[in-house]
Amino acid sequence: MSQISANNPVLKSWIEVSSGSDFPIQNIPFGVVKSENLTPRVVSRIGNKVIDLKTLHVLGYLENLPFELSDFDVNLLNPMMKKGKKAVRDLRNRLSKLFDVNQPDLQKNEQHVAQVLIPVENVCMCMPVQIGDYTDFYSSREHATNVGMMFRDPANALLPNWLWLPVGYHGRSSSVIISGEPVYRPKGQIKPNPEEPPIYAPCRNLDFELETAFVTFDGKPLGESISTEEAEEYIFGMVLFNDWSARDIQTWEYVPLGPFLAKNFASSISPWIVTLDALQPYKADGPAQDPEVLSYLKYKGQLSYDIQLEVFIEPENGEETKVCTSNFKYMYWNMAQQLAHHTVNGCNIRCGDLMGSGTISGPTPDSYGSMLELAWKGTRPLKMNDGSERRFLQDGDTVTMRGFSSKDGIRIGFGEVSGKIYPPKG
Ligand code: MN
């Protein structure tokens, strides 16, 4: 497959990029925007400028690539993604070249520049992908251990299957929402008193889950499997993912079939999809796996990624408090193993499927990826900067997750995923 020339760390763009920006020329993520003046369309971004791919195509700058105008003049990335990994890699390389400071073609055409670049504050980010199926894994050993210690047996925190396979469940795509959309506190069955029957009430233990998710290209036909070696060829890119959770509803409902209404009321994604190509310089070793995994889960080389992840809570009219710093590389099972396991039985993956990592907790108490763990089931309330305390999330709280990879002065960031909690709807 073609080289990823867009990742060259020496590249500079003629678009201004402030230091500390998540979006240098080496990132080139994909998203969908609209505005009062613009129909929804496929875009990329450098610095604080949105790059209008529809207009670039109309003006002839995307010639000799396997894309049509209709791939960009649309409110979803799926048609573009349908063209596959090589096509998207070549598109990213082309964009890198067009906006390279040493390339005059577009740079010197003021009229075209004015048509192609849009200040990011002038557009509204749209849900970028039509998500087909949504799967959520449970791949952080620290998270699974913490939850097992709290709810089961501290001496046998991990269930017997956990070290043998990437545990997961099929979630619901209809309630995956984009950053900024409101989150309404769910209602349901909870059982505050173990000696008494359940009650119908608003969730009292509302939580976030710090996750990432990956979005797939078309996979293989039903019946075939994707190997760990092939897996990354089927991954388009990643987003930050807040898998909101109602812990009290979950505790009562989850036996024996697993998560249901505690999980499917909202899951928020960040609007820019950072390609797996852009993350290649940040590959990292994953945790050692013991016992040795079965043959279809074995892999060669580095398949984890060094992505720093942070969670902030901002109370209504208050200031933001950082409550968690974690890292994607702590994940026990990597994305290639997740995809290999998901397809080992012949399950087919389609363009636009979303796979959540599971809550990403690290080894130290400040790296736990949920309120459940940070406040240890409510027994160690978190202190906020405004003096208030949190056991779980309150109405009016805004939870924001940020993530980035950084090396040799180049920072590839995801922007953020944010959501504010509102009281239950009627
Ligand atoms: Mn989850």
Side-chain angles (χ1 to χ4, degrees), residues 279-333:
L279 292 165
Q280 291 310 297
Y282 307 97
K283 284 205 154 175
D285 287 327
Q289 297 185 323
D290 182 23
E292 188 180 345
V293 299
L294 297 180
S295 58
Y296 76 96
L297 291 169
K298 286 190 177 143
Y299 67 94
K300 291 196 192 85
Q302 292 181 308
L303 289 176
S304 293
Y305 291 85
D306 183 352
I307 304 170
Q308 180 162 331
L309 301 166
E310 301 171 331
V311 185
F312 302 80
I313 299 177
E314 182 185 331
E316 190 119 68
N317 306 316
E319 59 170 310
E320 212 171 61
T321 301
K322 189 200 258 196
V323 297
C324 165
T325 304
S326 188
N327 195 301
F328 183 73
K329 71 181 177 193
Y330 296 142
M331 295 255 299
Y332 190 84
W333 298 103

Side-chain angles (χ1 to χ4, degrees), residues 134 136-138 143 169 209 211 241 243-245 247 263 356-359:
Y134 156 45
D136 197 22
F137 287 95
Y138 189 56
H143 173 66
Y169 73 96
E209 285 188 336
E211 301 194 25
F241 188 59
D243 191 24
W244 303 93
S245 296
R247 298 298 178 197
K263 298 285 189 176
S357 58
T359 306

